[in-house]
Amino acid sequence: MLLIMVLSSGVCSADNYVGGIPLTSAHSGTVSGGVYCDSYYGMGDQEAKASNTIEKTFTVPDNANVEWAMLLTNVYCGHMQNNYQGKAKVDFNGKNLGTETLNVPYTYSYNGGNGHVQVNDHVNRVTSDYMMYYDVTGLVKAGKNTAVVKTDPLDSSFDGRIRLVTLVVAYNDGSKKTIWYQVNRGHDADSYYSDDEMNENYIGSTAFQAALPEGSSLTDSKLTLVYQASSDGAYAFNGNALSSGTPQGTFSGSNTWDVKDSLKSSGTNTLTYDRTASFYKSVLGILTAEYTTSSSGDSTDDTPADNTTDNGSAGDTTDDISSDNTTNDTSSDNTTSDVPAGNTTNDTPADNTTDAKFSADLGVQAIKVSHNSAAKAWKNLVNTVNVTVINNGPEKAGSFALELYSEGSLLESKPINGLANGATEAVEFVWKPEDAKNYTLRAVVVPGSTINDANATNNELSKTQEVMHNGYIGDKPLETYLHGTVKGNIIYDYGNSSYVKVSSGDVYTAGHSLSLPEGAIVKYARLYNFWTWSATGSSGVIPSMSLDFAGSSLTPEAEYADQKGWGQYDYPTGTWAYNVTGLVSGSGNYITTVKNTNSDAENSFCIDGIALLVVYEDASGKETQYWINEGCDAVSTMSSSGGLTPDEATVKIAFAGDSIDLGNVDNARLWTTVQSGGHEGIALKFNEMSISGVYDSTPSSNLDIDEARDVTSYLLSQNNEAQIIAPSVTDNSGDYMIPSSAILAVSYKSETTDDTNITDDTNVTDDTNVTDGTNVTDGTNVTNDTNVTNDTNVTDNTNVTDDTNMKDDTNVTLKVNIIPVISLTVSPDSLDFGTVSPGTPSESLPLALKNNGGISIKVTAEVHDQENGPFATGLLLDQNIWSNYSKVLAAESAETSQAQLDLPLNYSSTGQFQGTLSLWAEAA
């Protein structure tokens, strides 16, 4: 049974899905000593949902004279949105800075939130973290300083682990150095939700406004960033890529870079950061610049505190940081400041000269790869590579080119017609990789002859991109297994088979009751075993099973299987076909049993159903040309499919071979079998025919069979083709389905099965010679054309062979309706809970259960959902969680259960979801 829930959503700023606080300046100034920064990076050493105390000692240089200081700490509450309540007590050098009550909920920007929650003037919440920051300028001393952070839960869900405790100190030390600094603080999140759910690539940035004196000489510059993530981010400073490291804590860390070569001594310096794993946060950025002026030799330790610049490394002072790079960028900011606009002097090119050049620092900021709405790259599909370029100034850029390479080979070069100072532009490329492997993509800016780009180090950027095969594409057409002609007909029967989970050692039974015309001869018979969800624990495996049909043990003649091949729920599904021609002799009941022979107690598979195909000869039948196609092609357009479109999730079925005599066709019929169908948006095409709504869960959504559809009007003389097309994700959340079988039968008109078709008939010379009407089947005894227009009464004598041998037989017709021992049907086979908010239960929806079997049964439930999905979390059956559901139904009785979705208030996931509810029946 298919459950579908759709949730509404909205849009906001920063990471437009979860929100966040971009980093902005908290303090800046000029000192002689440097900027000290050190941190406790935590979580792994603490206990969740308990009281925690972290004591961190910070050693400030002994000769430090504090100019400004801040203590910052972050506490993890345990959920991205729920209001898990606790408190935090923060002390520094024996003084209590605050005892904070942490008890506010959080709402994603996508769902209408404000991007963050400001608890008070020094505490905020972004997703699962509370940030607290305090001015400790008057409390910091040279030497050892101690911070103590203690958390206590106020409810049973509050996590309370302390992610980070950081001290930042700007100080003078009596030296003759001059160091400008700026400290930026924020709580900026970058999540995969914005990529996957909104197809937006959020790259965070923070700006530092340098203002070194004109004529000064830069001697050193350091950049420090403190972040929260389990995997370090990707960074660039003024368009130049920076190296990444390894987090010092379980979910936090910091980096310090030498950026002397990239620093702009005046104006905006920009740091960009981007996640490399699912979640990332930036919380502190510190930029310092040590410089000298012509009068620096006369300076003393009373350097003004707020009018110069300086910086330091994380965890230590800055006066011992050496520079290993140089830069020419500073000259471009100072050479033309006194030249009037429009002048055409030799050293300052103007825009209106014919040989003018633009002084612009062009850089490649980011490379993002996606397939439609998913941040994935798929083999043999057209993917999008989005390259962001930036102009770091100081002037606007003229025309230039952007090139994209894959594995060193040029894919495409695109022209860009100018870029303003400080502007960025996203350029889109298409990429269709042929192999599943890791590729190196490289984007290169080619400035051209009109641009003077003195800094070439940021002109290119490389990215390692994993390319995978997506098993949900339509890549396994249903092939023709058998093609032929028979004077007779076809039966395709699913009997009483139903969807059942088969655990280790369990036996599945299905029956087929065949009724063939008298005298019919079975020409060919084939049994189909449609199976799915085969796994041991959470790992997908090919099933181990034995199958008996009509008392004989069989092995498959053909095995077809398909699998997602990536991500969660990577379970195989399949069609196994058995030749049972010698076991089907005619009308009768045929029993199939399937046993799970895997000895692992965690192993199971599910049977969607068993189908029996019979091609038989019948003297009274029509000449019928048939194609039997079979296979297994799992396709999906759901949000979990990796952004596949209906065109990419189309299964093709070709009926090739002999030509069809269209002028003599009586009718053409098409059978198609789709495992996990039951979606009105699935389209069926046959040549020029295209219809939807045919897969309506008949006989069930797990084995959806469209039977004997009349396609006569659309038949071609040869090369007929059917297609089964998954619906768009916008059509009721898309669908997952497995087309598995298709049969095309073309019947031709009879040569002349009675004389009613004869307009010019024969002279029957002696009706008394007609003792057996069986000889009068056509006009072959015609000797001349007469006015006999209808001899249909002659055929009424077919039962009269010899009056003297007539027998008076009395026949008793035997009939029986054999019901299965266990048979459960459920209606409806799809539940839509609509839009649901955590903490507010959905409307109750009825589920009608009917026991069609001959014994009492016990019904239990199982939910197939994504990890921590809404249905696994909050599906209620008869007001109890689904895992506790149990109902007993007497033989041939019916009852109704109520289904409801009730998500806890702290449930954080949002968007559109789809899952499956399986109801299992066993003897009570």
Side-chain angles (χ1 to χ4, degrees), residues 147-201:
V148 179
V149 180
K150 184 179 186 299
T151 63
D152 293 293
L154 296 178
D155 63 29
S156 60
S157 299
F158 182 73
D159 188 287
R161 285 178 290 176
I162 300 156
R163 290 195 193 269
L164 186 71
V165 183
T166 299
L167 178 65
V168 183
V169 180
Y171 63 94
N172 297 299
D173 63 358
S175 69
K176 296 183 180 180
K177 294 186 295 183
T178 305
I179 303 172
W180 169 86
Y181 71 92
Q182 181 174 323
V183 178
N184 288 4
R185 182 186 67 234
H187 198 171
D188 201 13
D190 184 6
S191 75
Y192 76 95
Y193 292 134
S194 62
D195 292 78
D196 287 4
E197 302 297 334
M198 305 175 66
N199 199 26
E200 291 184 1
N201 171 31

Side-chain angles (χ1 to χ4, degrees), residues 119-447:
V119 180
N120 55 45
D121 63 354
H122 59 276
V123 179
N124 63 61
R125 177 180 177 180
V126 173
T127 63
S128 56
D129 299 314
Y130 287 91
M131 173 185 283
M132 292 152 273
Y133 44 92
Y134 307 89
D135 189 327
V136 292
T137 304
L139 298 176
V140 175
K141 58 187 179 182
K144 294 186 180 301
N145 297 262
T146 302
V148 179
V149 180
K150 184 179 186 299
T151 63
D152 293 293
L154 296 178
D155 63 29
S156 60
S157 299
F158 182 73
D159 188 287
R161 285 178 290 176
I162 300 156
R163 290 195 193 269
L164 186 71
V165 183
T166 299
L167 178 65
V168 183
V169 180
Y171 63 94
N172 297 299
D173 63 358
S175 69
K176 296 183 180 180
K177 294 186 295 183
T178 305
I179 303 172
W180 169 86
Y181 71 92
Q182 181 174 323
V183 178
N184 288 4
R185 182 186 67 234
H187 198 171
D188 201 13
D190 184 6
S191 75
Y192 76 95
Y193 292 134
S194 62
D195 292 78
D196 287 4
E197 302 297 334
M198 305 175 66
N199 199 26
E200 291 184 1
N201 171 31
Y202 175 64
I203 300 176
S205 66
T206 185
F208 302 90
Q209 301 296 328
L212 275 61
E214 183 179 351
S216 61
S217 297
L218 183 68
T219 60
D220 192 17
S221 181
K222 291 292 188 291
L223 173 65
T224 294
L225 184 78
V226 181
Y227 64 88
Q228 291 183 181
S230 60
S231 179
D232 199 3
Y235 307 99
F237 182 68
N238 288 338
N240 297 290
L242 301 174
S243 61
S244 300
T246 302
Q248 291 91 334
T250 305
F251 206 81
S252 56
S254 66
N255 293 297
T256 296
W257 302 279
D258 187 326
V259 294
K260 177 187 174 186
D261 187 50
S262 303
L263 184 78
K264 297 178 183 178
S265 59
S266 63
T268 301
N269 291 267
T270 302
L271 168 68
T272 61
Y273 41 87
D274 194 14
R275 66 180 181 87
T276 58
S278 296
F279 298 98
Y280 174 91
K281 281 183 178 179
S282 177
V283 295
L284 272 177
I286 305 168
L287 179 63
T288 65
E290 181 180 349
Y291 63 92
T292 60
T293 63
S294 58
S295 60
S296 294
D298 298 326
S299 63
T300 63
D301 62 356
D302 60 349
T303 305
D306 291 315
N307 59 2
T308 59
T309 57
D310 186 347
N311 182 24
S313 64
D316 204 348
T317 59
T318 61
D319 52 355
D320 62 348
I321 300 173
S322 62
S323 170
D324 57 7
N325 294 306
T326 61
T327 181
N328 296 323
D329 288 349
T330 55
S331 63
S332 64
D333 288 331
N334 300 321
T335 56
T336 62
S337 60
D338 59 344
V339 179
N343 276 1
T344 57
T345 61
N346 292 334
D347 57 348
T348 309
D351 290 348
N352 57 358
T353 60
T354 58
D355 59 348
K357 285 197 173 186
F358 300 95
S359 181
D361 178 15
L362 297 172
V364 180
Q365 192 176 61
I367 301 174
K368 283 287 185 178
V369 181
S370 63
H371 184 78
N372 298 323
S373 60
K376 302 286 186 182
W378 302 121
K379 168 188 172 183
N380 290 329
L381 295 182
V382 175
N383 305 285
T384 299
V385 182
N386 216 298
V387 180
T388 303
V389 293
I390 185 171
N391 178 10
N392 296 298
E395 299 177 351
K396 70 177 182 180
S399 298
F400 60 96
L402 179 64
E403 298 175 342
L404 180 66
Y405 293 81
S406 172
E407 299 292 89
S409 298
L410 179 65
L411 293 178
E412 190 176 1
S413 178
K414 289 197 170 186
I416 299 176
N417 298 319
L419 195 61
N421 179 17
T424 62
E425 182 172 338
V427 182
E428 187 175 291
F429 296 84
V430 295
W431 178 43
K432 189 177 182 180
E434 296 179 350
D435 299 306
K437 65 176 187 177
N438 285 339
Y439 284 79
T440 298
L441 296 175
R442 183 166 59 96
V444 180
V445 166
V446 182

Side-chain angles (χ1 to χ4, degrees), residues 909-923:
S909 297
T910 59
Q912 298 179 0
F913 296 90
Q914 187 167 319
T916 303
L917 170 65
S918 298
L919 295 172
W920 307 113
E922 58 185 343

Side-chain angles (χ1 to χ4, degrees), residues 180 201 375 592 659 662 699 738 887:
W180 169 86
N201 171 31
T592 301
S659 295
L662 294 180
I738 312 107
K887 182 180 286 290

Side-chain angles (χ1 to χ4, degrees), residues 594-641:
V594 180
K595 182 177 181 179
N596 184 340
T597 58
N598 193 309
S599 60
D600 194 318
E602 293 189 353
N603 179 265
S604 66
F605 55 81
C606 297
I607 299 291
D608 279 332
I610 304 288
L612 180 59
L613 169 67
V614 177
V615 180
Y616 64 88
E617 295 177 340
D618 178 15
S620 62
K622 296 179 179 180
E623 182 179 325
T624 300
Q625 193 175 5
Y626 58 85
W627 288 258
I628 298 171
N629 286 38
E630 57 192 33
C632 175
D633 197 2
V635 294
S636 176
T637 50
M638 296 170 59
S639 59
S640 57
S641 71

Side-chain angles (χ1 to χ4, degrees), residues 549-566:
F549 177 80
S552 296
S553 179
L554 302 177
T555 57
E557 187 176 73
E559 297 181 3
Y560 309 94
D562 201 5
Q563 194 164 346
K564 180 180 180 182
W566 58 278

